Amino acid sequence: MKAANLGVLFLIELGALAGAAYWGSTRDVGAPWLLGLAAPAVLVVLWALFGSPRAKYKASGAGRVGFELLWFGAGAVALFAAGAHVWAFALAVVCVLSKTLAAVWSQ
């Protein structure tokens, strides 16, 4: 069960990135494909700096919780803003459940 949750954690990371990409590509701007690439790129940089196991400025404790809330929340909010309300709700629910299990199991 713990191993499955690690897989789910990885999938919700990808889901947050996909949500940001979808949001960017649905905006009515001159080059929506560019925004569709830039939005997840910003999330990748933030994850590399603060969230990954080898992050340069690794967040811990309450800072880590806040960072993950904002990071994963950005994916869900991006989906909601793009009009994918059901997917946004699903991502948010799976994030809460999986992150709760990760905290209980010290993952």
Side-chain angles (χ1 to χ4, degrees):
M1 194 72 167
K2 290 181 181 182
N5 192 49
L6 288 175
V8 172
L9 289 170
F10 178 67
L11 291 176
I12 61 175
E13 289 174 18
L14 294 179
L17 294 173
Y22 181 69
W23 171 82
S25 65
T26 60
R27 297 299 88 197
D28 189 19
V29 294
W33 61 270
L34 185 59
L35 191 55
L37 292 173
V42 169
L43 287 179
V44 167
V45 169
L46 289 173
W47 188 259
L49 289 173
F50 303 106
S52 80
R54 290 188 248 157
K56 187 170 184 173
Y57 308 103
K58 192 169 186 171
S60 62
R64 175 70 179 205
V65 171
F67 170 75
E68 288 188 0
L69 182 65
L70 290 173
W71 198 89
F72 288 107
V77 168
L79 282 170
F80 190 84
H85 302 137
V86 173
W87 286 108
F89 180 74
L91 179 63
V93 168
V94 172
C95 282
V96 168
L97 292 174
S98 185
K99 285 301 194 177
T100 301
L101 288 175
V104 169
W105 291 333
S106 301
Q107 291 181 312

